[in-house]
């Protein structure tokens, strides 16, 4: 398959290329002014400070190490001013000779590093983030640590949930997937030190709950892309920056120890981290950080599998009702080891490494009333009554091990007006589910079919239905359950990517216009594999009563009905290896061990050209990126009737031309206007395009991935205004619009209505003739996402001296979306929240650093079912608070409260009155100490 996409009007592509090819820039004198901006101790560099030459109007901004370079200055005397939000401006005069000059600046009071309010604490972190956002030529949001590397949250996902326009999907109460502007995590991208973060799952969205924030120095979210950034994102790019020794001069040591108490688990979970960095002769630096956490989680859950509607219009439970008890621990081990070498004044080299290991030990018990639709006696608006029916008692013992590793080596070199940077990288992710068993006991047939009475499920409280009826005594007798199936899983997912990139920039002029020309190339080679192996056994003589303990009832169960640890998952471990070959369920084993396997090789070669033009008070970044994609896919067609798996191979190749323009206008030193356009291409999720296919027993239905899926094509538009009214304050407002082609949705078709781009030609003619129904993934036509963002941060002390130390912040994102399915139904984008907002009040003065915050995430479409019965995730509001007290310059104590309102997570089918899933996690209190030297 071959495809070429041009997502912008032809005039825009032509104009971008014409600008880039407008002759060689005039070589100018390379007299330079260089220097560094730090605090009085020289220990804390300031990123995002604006350096301005008053006589010429030239400006630049400091990098993460506080360094700056100004090129093409004629010899003479100049007045140089430094501006940094949170500190008074500083001005110096310097004479620049032919050979150039160095000029360092000091910001803030002459106090100890630990006592400097623009270095340490909430104010310092907020100031650093605002400065980086202000000087950026693109639309970005920054979440920064303070000078001691302190983040307010445990994981990356939780930290991001507080930023404007960002929200998280949770798993067991912890943030896991991040959404930007309500846009699905599969439509955004993530990187660590500029290296694309691999995903151990079958999707492109990255798990961020396993990355501890203690390993990071800062997080940047880029919402408008420039040509030098990978174009595989509609929502934006999340870049995680790990620490560097040159973030602070000389030796730095930090140790942290904490405990987290949860009211449901009733136990304290330990966490600790150690960070050390040092520099030698301002030439070589090393930074190492190690973190460990062993988090206990217990959650209480009930679910309904499916709803339907009867002839009278009453909705009723049509599948199952189940209760779930989870007891798990999440062990996180993280390691960062970074090295920097300043080879000379003109060359810097680095090695960045990150290793993260996440181990989840899970015990789950499930009590399930099955197949309501086959046993219904009666339906009312708030209840469904069934005959005794089938009931399962299920236990699961599972260990999931996830590893994420990224390594990059590279550097940056300067030669007059030229800058060259280069990087080679390796990233690897693995998810190992090889230590896993699931055992299911079912109520015995002869007793199930006898007259033991009925069961009524009442859901006038939809989040916690109540089970009642004459059959309950039977159901609560363990000896009435016999083994249905014992299942072992040995599944491994792997994601590997090799990458290399090279960029060159020239700081010159086009006529009288200062221009930074930049071009580069990048190659990415990614391999994604899934090896799924599931084995099923059956035996007739195994009774539930032999696998329960005397304390099996969950006495602190928070939901309406009684819950039991039936069976005890640890006791059932004795059955591993106890089954014979004759007890193997061959058809299910062959099916599940074949249909989930795939291998995908994806190679992307990209090149770009761009220019950054300074036009008085305006800055324009314009250019284009070209990405060539080649994909080889391998999967299996499994035939349930013959129990055979046939390999299926498909290849794709296509090229995308992706222009972009970012415009910035400084009305004055307090007001900035921004506008942006960029084209993006997001490739299909691996699981959606894997060439797997499952043909059912009757050989009339097929379920398959679609290797012919087109990538999402998107034109993205942004406009915004920023106002910085006082010393540490900002008010910003913006709007965005995204026009999307080829959005991907799951779909079901009768064979007569099958679109022509769904390829079934790989099937034998006789098989194809019998197919009546097809389940797959498809591209739909034009879709759109649009909305607005408002952000307000105010240093309250600027308004009144009596309120010195208080900081107020709030942000709001409103968005909407439209997509049309093949059946003509209009739906919102999957996972797209209509409203996200945050509000917080902090106090940072003297030894105290206090904060209380609220986070709201609106409801969103989670899964497509049918009109009025699609699955939604309900809105959620969380309240959290923290108090930190600095006992001395080295020692700080802290106390935090999480989920203080005990907010549950709720999912529903079409309407909040129809339960899909309800989870409770409880409140958590964190206490700890941090020592810094």
């Amino acid at each position: 398959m071959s495809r070429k996409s041009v997502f912008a009007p032809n005039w825009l592509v032509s104009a971008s290329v014409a600008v880039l090819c407008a002759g060689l820039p005039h070589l100018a004198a390379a007299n330079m002014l260089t220097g560094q901006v730090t605090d009085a101790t020289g220990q804390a560099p300031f990123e995002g400070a604006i350096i301005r030459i008053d006589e010429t109007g030239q400006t630049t901004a400091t990098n993460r190490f506080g360094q700056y370079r100004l090129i093409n200055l004629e010899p003479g005397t100049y007045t140089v001013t430094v501006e940094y939000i949170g500190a008074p401006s500083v001005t110096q005069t310097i004479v620049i000779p032919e050979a150039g000059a160095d000029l360092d600046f000091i910001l803030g009071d002459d106090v100890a590093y630990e006592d400097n309010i623009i270095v340490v604490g909430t104010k310092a972190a907020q100031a650093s983030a605002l400065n980086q956002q202000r000087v950026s030529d693109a639309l970005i949001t920054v979440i920064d640590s303070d000078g001691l590397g302190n983040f307010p949250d445990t994981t990356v996902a939780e930290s991001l949930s507080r930023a404007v326009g960002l929200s998280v999907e949770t798993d067991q109460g912890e943030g896991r997937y991040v959404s930007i502007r309500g846009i699905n995590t599969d439509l955004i991208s993530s990187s660590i030190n500029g290296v694309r973060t691999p995903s151990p799952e079958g999707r492109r969205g990255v798990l961020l709950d396993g990355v501890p924030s203690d390993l990071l120095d800062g997080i940047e979210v880029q919402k408008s892309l420039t040509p030098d950034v990978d174009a595989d994102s509609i929502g934006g790019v999340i870049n995680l920056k790990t620490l560097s020794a040159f973030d602070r001069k000389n030796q730095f040591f930090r140790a942290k120890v904490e405990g987290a108490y949860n009211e449901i688990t009733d136990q304290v979970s330990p966490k600790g981290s150690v960070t050390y960095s040092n520099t030698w002769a301002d030439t070589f630096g090393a930074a190492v950080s190690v973190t460990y956490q062993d988090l206990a989680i217990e959650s209480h859950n009930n679910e309904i599998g499916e709803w339907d509607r009867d002839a009278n219009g009453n909705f009723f439970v049509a599948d199952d009702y189940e209760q779930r008890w989870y007891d798990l621990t999440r062990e996180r081990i993280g390691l960062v080891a970074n090295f920097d070498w300043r080879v000379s004044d003109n060359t810097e080299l680095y090695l960045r490494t990150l290793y993260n290991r996440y181990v989840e030990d899970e015990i789950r018990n499930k009590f399930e009333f099955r197949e309501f639709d086959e046993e219904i006696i009666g339906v009312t608006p708030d209840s469904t009554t069934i005959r005794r029916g089938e009931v399962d008692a299920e236990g699961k013992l599972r260990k999931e091990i996830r590893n994420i590793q990224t390594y990059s080596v590279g550097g940056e070199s300067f030669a007059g007006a030229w800058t060259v940077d280069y990087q080679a990288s390796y990233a690897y992710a693995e998810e190992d589910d090889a230590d896993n068993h699931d055992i299911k006991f079912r109520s015995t047939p002869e007793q199930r079919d006898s007259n033991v009475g009925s069961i009524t499920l009442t859901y006038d409280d939809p989040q916690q239905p109540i089970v009642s009826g004459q059959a309950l005594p039977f159901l609560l007798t363990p000896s009435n359950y016999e083994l249905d199936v014992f299942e072992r899983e040995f599944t491994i997912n792997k994601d590997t990517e090799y990458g290399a990139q090279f960029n060159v920039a020239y700081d010159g002029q086009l006529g009288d216009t200062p221009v930074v020309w930049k071009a580069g190339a990048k190659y990415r080679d990614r391999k994604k594999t899934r090896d799924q192996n599931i084995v099923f056994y059956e035996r007739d003589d195994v009774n539930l009563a032999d696998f329960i303990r005397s304390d099996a009832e969950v006495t602190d169960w928070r939901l309406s009905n009684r819950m039991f640890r039936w069976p005890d998952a640890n006791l059932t471990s004795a059955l591993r290896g106890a089954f014979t070959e004759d007890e193997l369920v061959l058809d299910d084993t062959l099916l599940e061990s074949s249909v989930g396997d795939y291998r995908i090789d994806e190679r992307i070669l990209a090149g770009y050209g761009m220019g950054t033009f300074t036009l008085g008070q305006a800055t324009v970044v314009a250019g284009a990126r070209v990405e060539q994609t080649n994909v080889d896919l391998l999967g299996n067609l499994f035939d349930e009737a013959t129990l055979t798996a046939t390999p299926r191979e498909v290849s794709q190749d296509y090229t995308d031309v992706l222009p972009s323009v970012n415009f910035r206008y400084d009305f004055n030193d307090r007001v900035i206007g921004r506008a942006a356009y960029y084209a993006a291409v997001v490739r299909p999720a691996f699981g959606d395009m894997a060439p797997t296919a499952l043909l059912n027993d009757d050989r009339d239905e097929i379920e398959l991935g679609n290797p012919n899926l087109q990538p999402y094509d998107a034109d993205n538009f942004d406009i915004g205004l920023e106002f910085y009214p006082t010393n540490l304050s900002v008010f910003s407002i913006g709007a965005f619009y995204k026009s999307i082609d080829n959005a991907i949705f799951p779909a079901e078709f009768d064979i007569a209505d099958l679109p022509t781009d769904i390829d079934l030609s790989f099937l034998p003619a006789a098989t194809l003739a019998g197919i009546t129904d097809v389940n797959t993934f498809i591209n739909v036509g034009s879709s759109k996402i649009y909305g607005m963002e408002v952000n307000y941060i105010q240093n309250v002390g600027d308004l009144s001296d009596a309120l010195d130390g208080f900081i107020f912040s709030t942000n709001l994102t409103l968005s909407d979306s439209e997509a049309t399915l093949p059946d003509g139904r209009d739906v919102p984008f999957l996972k797209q929240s209509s409203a996200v907002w945050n509000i917080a009040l902090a106090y940072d003065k003297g030894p105290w650093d206090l904060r209380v915050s609220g986070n709201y995430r609106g409801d969103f479409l989670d899964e497509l079912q049918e009109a009025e019965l699609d699955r939604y995730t309900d809105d959620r509001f969380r309240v959290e608070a923290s108090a930190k007290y600095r006992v001395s310059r080295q020692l700080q104590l802290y106390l935090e409260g999480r989920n203080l309102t005990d907010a549950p997570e709720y999912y529903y089918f079409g309407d909040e009155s129809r339960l899909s899933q309800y989870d409770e996690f409880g409140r958590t209190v964190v206490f700890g100490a941090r020592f810094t030297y």
Side-chain angles (χ1 to χ4, degrees), residues 799-872:
L799 306 179
S800 170
D801 291 340
L803 298 174
D804 184 40
F806 284 96
I807 303 173
F808 172 79
S809 63
T810 186
N811 57 65
L812 167 68
T813 300
L814 300 175
S815 60
D816 200 357
S817 61
E818 298 175 14
T820 303
L821 301 179
D823 61 4
R825 186 159 68 98
D826 291 330
V827 297
F829 257 64
L830 293 173
K831 314 287 186 180
Q832 195 261 325
S833 295
S834 58
V836 176
W837 56 264
N838 289 276
I839 188 168
L841 181 65
Y843 178 79
D844 183 9
K845 187 175 181 180
W848 287 102
D849 191 343
L850 311 174
R851 184 187 68 175
V852 60
S853 64
N855 171 266
Y856 174 83
R857 182 213 63 212
D859 55 2
F860 58 81
L861 176 62
D862 189 52
E863 293 178 7
L864 285 174
Q865 305 285 336
E866 59 180 276
E868 296 189 81
L869 288 173
D870 291 328
R871 175 177 149 121
Y872 282 80

Side-chain angles (χ1 to χ4, degrees), residues 392-451:
D392 287 345
E394 183 178 334
K396 187 170 189 176
L397 186 64
R398 167 179 167 269
K399 174 178 283 191
E400 176 187 282
I401 302 174
R402 293 203 313 255
N403 289 308
I404 295 178
Q405 305 173 48
T406 65
Y407 306 91
S408 61
V409 59
E412 189 173 35
S413 298
F414 308 94
W418 294 90
T419 302
V420 178
D421 66 85
Y422 31 88
Q423 183 187 78
S425 62
Y426 168 77
Y428 176 77
E430 180 182 283
E431 183 179 74
D432 186 344
D433 267 327
D435 188 0
N436 190 337
H437 82 259
D438 196 329
I439 185 169
K440 184 186 303 179
F441 291 86
R442 181 163 294 172
S443 53
T444 50
E446 60 273 13
Q447 291 174 309
R448 182 179 68 241
D449 296 337
S450 64
N451 185 21

Side-chain angles (χ1 to χ4, degrees), residues 435-695:
D435 188 0
N436 190 337
H437 82 259
D438 196 329
I439 185 169
K440 184 186 303 179
F441 291 86
R442 181 163 294 172
S443 53
T444 50
E446 60 273 13
Q447 291 174 309
R448 182 179 68 241
D449 296 337
S450 64
N451 185 21
V452 296
S454 63
I455 286 292
T456 297
L457 184 68
T458 304
Y459 32 83
D460 50 356
D461 177 359
Q463 297 181 347
Q464 298 191 42
I466 296 175
V467 177
S468 61
Q470 304 95 322
L472 275 180
F474 172 82
L475 297 176
L476 300 181
T477 303
S479 59
N480 290 331
Y481 293 81
E482 293 180 351
L483 179 67
D484 179 61
V485 67
F486 185 87
E487 173 185 329
R488 293 293 313 275
E489 182 172 0
F490 311 90
T491 296
I492 296 180
N493 293 295
K494 295 181 180 180
D495 189 357
T496 305
E497 180 172 310
Y498 295 90
Q501 60 180 311
F502 177 86
N503 304 287
V504 58
Y506 178 79
D507 197 331
Q509 291 193 193
L510 184 64
D512 295 329
T513 301
V515 183
V516 178
W517 302 97
K518 189 176 182 182
K522 185 173 185 178
Y523 179 73
R524 298 165 57 191
D525 188 346
R526 187 173 188 177
K527 291 180 172 56
K528 186 86 172 181
T529 62
R530 177 175 175 82
D531 183 12
Q532 177 174 297
N533 297 282
I534 305 177
V535 184
F536 299 87
Y537 296 96
E538 292 179 353
R539 181 184 291 176
D540 295 333
D541 60 350
V542 182
N543 191 276
L544 173 62
D546 297 327
F547 294 93
I548 62 173
R549 300 181 188 271
S550 58
D551 60 348
E553 184 165 6
V554 182
T555 55
D556 60 348
W557 182 248
R558 294 161 62 108
L559 307 186
S560 295
N561 308 300
R562 296 174 69 187
M563 183 64 189
F564 299 85
R565 288 179 282 266
W566 288 359
D568 185 285
N570 287 307
L571 291 178
T572 60
S573 294
L575 293 173
R576 293 187 179 188
F579 292 92
T580 66
E581 188 173 338
D582 292 340
E583 294 166 324
L584 176 70
V585 184
L586 183 60
D587 52 353
D588 289 344
T589 297
L590 291 175
L591 185 156
E592 295 295 340
S593 299
S594 301
V595 72
D597 294 351
Y598 60 79
R599 187 187 73 228
I600 298 175
D601 296 340
E602 182 179 81
R603 298 166 299 282
I604 301 170
L605 178 62
Y608 73 90
M610 58 184 280
T612 301
F613 304 84
T614 303
L615 305 166
Q617 294 169 271
T619 302
V620 179
V621 182
R625 186 179 185 90
V626 179
E627 295 192 349
Q628 181 185 43
T629 305
N630 293 276
V631 188
D632 296 321
L633 307 100
L634 174 65
N636 290 320
L637 163 64
F638 189 85
D639 188 332
E640 283 193 88
T642 62
L643 300 181
T644 56
T646 304
R648 182 185 176 203
E649 296 186 64
V650 181
S651 294
Q652 296 184 16
D653 67 272
Y654 47 89
T655 301
D656 299 289
V657 180
L658 306 153
S660 70
V661 177
N662 280 261
F663 176 81
R664 167 198 169 113
Y665 189 85
D666 291 64
F667 292 94
N668 53 51
D669 59 356
R670 293 185 179 275
V671 180
I672 301 172
R674 298 183 187 272
Y677 162 80
Y678 73 92
V681 54
V682 176
R683 298 162 185 88
F686 296 104
D688 294 354
M689 67 174 178
T692 57
L694 171 62
L695 193 63

Side-chain angles (χ1 to χ4, degrees), residues 141-145 149-164 166-168 174-176 178 208-209 211-221 238 240 256 271 811 838 851 853 855 878 880 898:
T141 296
V142 176
I143 303 96
D144 211 359
S145 61
N150 300 324
F151 276 95
D153 301 288
T154 299
T155 67
V156 170
E158 294 293 340
S159 292
L160 287 167
S161 70
R162 306 184 192 284
V164 57
L166 276 71
S167 61
V168 299
E174 288 195 300
R176 169 161 285 189
V178 175
L208 292 177
D209 60 335
V211 182
S213 59
D214 286 335
L215 299 178
L216 304 181
D217 180 67
I219 307 170
E220 179 185 279
V221 182
I238 299 170
L240 312 179
K256 186 169 75 171
K271 179 186 175 185
N811 57 65
N838 289 276
R851 184 187 68 175
S853 64
N855 171 266
R878 296 180 300 151
E880 302 188 346
R898 299 174 183 167

Side-chain angles (χ1 to χ4, degrees), residues 216-482:
L216 304 181
D217 180 67
I219 307 170
E220 179 185 279
V221 182
Q222 185 169 346
K223 297 176 181 177
S224 68
L225 304 189
T226 49
D228 54 347
V229 176
D230 291 321
D232 54 351
S233 176
I234 295 175
V237 179
I238 299 170
N239 186 33
L240 312 179
K241 299 187 295 183
T242 59
L243 69 162
S244 165
F246 288 108
D247 291 332
R248 305 161 195 87
K249 271 194 175 181
N250 303 325
Q251 183 172 252
F252 174 80
F253 174 80
R254 182 187 69 213
K256 186 169 75 171
V257 60
E258 72 177 37
Y261 173 82
N262 178 268
E263 63 179 340
I264 298 182
T265 63
D266 194 27
Q267 55 183 295
V268 175
S269 300
K271 179 186 175 185
S273 66
V274 175
T275 299
Y276 177 80
S277 67
N278 204 351
T279 60
W280 292 269
D282 202 30
T283 299
F284 185 79
V288 178
S289 185
V290 180
T291 181
Y292 175 82
Q293 182 184 34
D294 189 20
L295 179 65
I297 297 174
E298 181 179 332
S299 65
H300 300 173
N301 155 293
N302 60 182
E303 303 183 10
I304 289 176
E306 185 179 331
W307 291 75
D308 206 343
R309 185 160 33 187
D310 66 13
N312 298 319
N314 291 320
F315 288 94
F316 63 91
V317 179
D319 188 7
D320 57 47
Y321 168 72
E322 58 188 54
Q323 299 173 176
R324 297 186 179 204
W325 174 81
Y326 291 89
D327 181 19
L328 58 145
T329 60
R330 287 177 171 172
E331 181 185 65
R332 297 180 173 98
I333 301 173
L335 170 66
V336 162
N338 291 340
F339 305 92
D340 294 88
W341 181 22
R342 294 176 174 173
V343 181
S344 66
D345 290 340
N346 299 320
T347 297
E348 300 178 358
L349 303 177
Y350 62 81
L351 171 65
R352 304 271 184 262
T353 70
L354 179 142
Y355 172 80
N356 187 72
R357 178 181 170 89
Y358 170 99
V359 180
E360 182 172 285
D361 282 296
E362 176 186 311
I363 295 175
R364 187 198 73 189
N365 283 100
K366 182 172 73 173
F367 199 64
E368 177 183 356
F369 298 81
R370 303 182 69 248
E371 299 179 348
F372 268 60
D373 56 335
E374 297 182 9
E375 302 286 340
I376 290 177
I377 296 173
V379 172
T380 72
D382 59 6
S383 70
T384 301
T385 301
I386 61 172
R387 287 181 290 273
R388 222 314 272 123
E390 290 183 342
V391 177
D392 287 345
E394 183 178 334
K396 187 170 189 176
L397 186 64
R398 167 179 167 269
K399 174 178 283 191
E400 176 187 282
I401 302 174
R402 293 203 313 255
N403 289 308
I404 295 178
Q405 305 173 48
T406 65
Y407 306 91
S408 61
V409 59
E412 189 173 35
S413 298
F414 308 94
W418 294 90
T419 302
V420 178
D421 66 85
Y422 31 88
Q423 183 187 78
S425 62
Y426 168 77
Y428 176 77
E430 180 182 283
E431 183 179 74
D432 186 344
D433 267 327
D435 188 0
N436 190 337
H437 82 259
D438 196 329
I439 185 169
K440 184 186 303 179
F441 291 86
R442 181 163 294 172
S443 53
T444 50
E446 60 273 13
Q447 291 174 309
R448 182 179 68 241
D449 296 337
S450 64
N451 185 21
V452 296
S454 63
I455 286 292
T456 297
L457 184 68
T458 304
Y459 32 83
D460 50 356
D461 177 359
Q463 297 181 347
Q464 298 191 42
I466 296 175
V467 177
S468 61
Q470 304 95 322
L472 275 180
F474 172 82
L475 297 176
L476 300 181
T477 303
S479 59
N480 290 331
Y481 293 81
E482 293 180 351

Side-chain angles (χ1 to χ4, degrees), residues 161-215:
S161 70
R162 306 184 192 284
V164 57
L166 276 71
S167 61
V168 299
E169 285 185 72
T170 62
D171 179 77
Q172 300 296 348
E174 288 195 300
R176 169 161 285 189
Y177 300 106
V178 175
S179 168
I180 301 176
R181 292 170 165 176
I183 297 171
N184 182 358
T185 189
D186 290 313
L187 304 183
I188 65 178
S189 57
S190 175
S191 61
I192 300 174
N193 298 317
V195 178
R196 274 292 179 262
T197 312
S199 172
E201 297 186 306
R203 57 192 302 182
R204 293 189 184 268
V206 177
L207 298 158
L208 292 177
D209 60 335
V211 182
S213 59
D214 286 335
L215 299 178

